[in-house]
Amino acid sequence: METYLRRAAMWYGGLGLLAGVVLRNLALPPAYARHVVAEMEVMGIRSLGVALTAAVFTGMVFALQSAANMARFGAENYVGPVTALALLRELGPVLTAILVGGKVASGITAELGSMKVTEQIDALRTLGVNYVKRLIVPRMLAALVVFPLLTVLADALGVLGGLAMMMFERGSDPYAYWNTTTYWVVPKDFLMGIGKSVFFGIIVTLIGCYNGLATEGGTEGLGRATTATVVQVTMGVIISDFFLTKLFLSLFW
């Protein structure tokens, strides 16, 4: 137990120190714009299919379940706003962060871990290259753009998936569905989810980078670090979602 607590304290401490170093390097030139664009392609375009497929099916399932239960209380007309609120505030940003984050962060850990194991990072230090600015800052900047954009697309497709399910499965009027949804859903519901996605992007990138830089034990250690990253990203997103929800509700509601 004592060993586990010591390792946990070291991990959280190292993650906090890395966050401080990254924050300081964000203000330093050069910006490595070319690397930022390359990372945006890796994180965004290659993850687009996973995020959008999950979003549209989540919207359809949520609308189907809501309609079946709310019809018992004569409240089927409110399936639209209920589905939209659930997607915009929670399901869109959280599912996108878990699915895309797990893929992105494990990829970062594998890449940086391989560089650590083969001593490429030590070589960069020897040559006087700021490896944080070169390897981590572009990934962080890309995540700050990609995660909110993917969340916007996931929200849109999820809402449309719910609309399509209500039209074809329950025979609802699409104009009435849309009017009810836009009446009850306000811009801050959408902004709350986007705000969460920014923090999720930071958490995902930091965990992936830290585990990669802390990799030890050759290829076996690299495998352990990659597996741990997926679990830690999932838990980090779920736990931080609770605190972010409390924060946003206390600030804006």
Side-chain angles (χ1 to χ4, degrees):
M1 186 66 181
E2 184 180 346
T3 303
Y4 174 79
L5 291 176
R6 188 184 302 115
R7 287 179 180 174
M10 289 176 63
W11 188 82
Y12 283 109
L15 200 66
L17 289 175
L18 180 63
V21 173
V22 171
L23 185 63
R24 187 182 64 194
N25 278 273
L26 282 172
L28 297 176
Y32 293 112
R34 181 168 56 85
H35 298 292
V36 175
V37 174
E39 292 299 332
M40 287 172 63
E41 179 187 359
V42 173
M43 291 183 183
I45 296 176
R46 298 182 187 179
S47 304
L48 202 58
V50 175
L52 300 190
T53 302
V56 71
F57 278 94
T58 300
M60 289 194 295
V61 169
F62 196 90
L64 196 59
Q65 286 279 16
S66 300
N69 288 285
M70 294 177 74
R72 298 158 57 191
F73 309 102
E76 194 170 339
N77 291 336
Y78 294 98
V79 170
V82 168
T83 303
L85 288 172
L87 285 165
L88 297 180
R89 288 188 178 191
E90 291 297 330
L91 296 176
V94 171
L95 284 178
T96 302
I98 290 176
L99 292 173
V100 177
K103 178 175 179 291
V104 167
S106 60
I108 292 174
T109 298
E111 187 176 349
L112 295 185
S114 298
M115 296 180 69
K116 174 73 182 307
V117 170
T118 56
E119 300 182 347
Q120 293 181 57
I121 292 178
D122 292 334
L124 290 176
R125 286 175 174 162
T126 304
L127 294 171
V129 176
N130 184 343
Y131 72 95
V132 174
K133 186 74 177 173
R134 170 65 181 80
L135 299 175
I136 300 178
V137 169
R139 290 177 167 85
M140 184 63 70
L141 293 175
L144 291 175
V145 175
V146 166
F147 276 77
L149 286 178
L150 286 178
T151 301
V152 170
L153 293 174
D155 289 345
L157 279 188
V159 171
L160 291 176
L163 171 61
M165 185 53 59
M166 290 301 292
M167 282 175 54
F168 299 116
E169 184 71 19
R170 310 291 294 191
S172 298
D173 179 30
Y175 297 103
Y177 182 95
W178 185 253
N179 286 335
T180 309
T181 301
T182 53
Y183 178 80
W184 288 104
V185 176
V186 295
K188 62 183 179 182
D189 296 317
F190 168 74
L191 294 175
M192 181 178 183
I194 300 304
K196 286 182 178 181
S197 69
V198 174
F199 286 97
F200 291 156
I202 294 172
I203 292 168
V204 164
T205 310
L206 277 178
I207 291 175
C209 291
Y210 178 75
N211 285 354
L213 295 175
T215 299
E216 292 179 346
T219 54
E220 187 178 344
L222 182 59
R224 286 197 301 268
T226 306
T227 304
T229 295
V230 177
V231 177
Q232 289 162 354
V233 163
T234 303
M235 295 305 297
V237 169
I238 292 173
I239 294 171
S240 63
D241 180 49
F242 168 76
F243 292 103
L244 289 171
T245 301
K246 291 282 289 182
L247 176 66
F248 285 133
L249 288 177
S250 63
L251 288 177
F252 303 113
W253 271 269

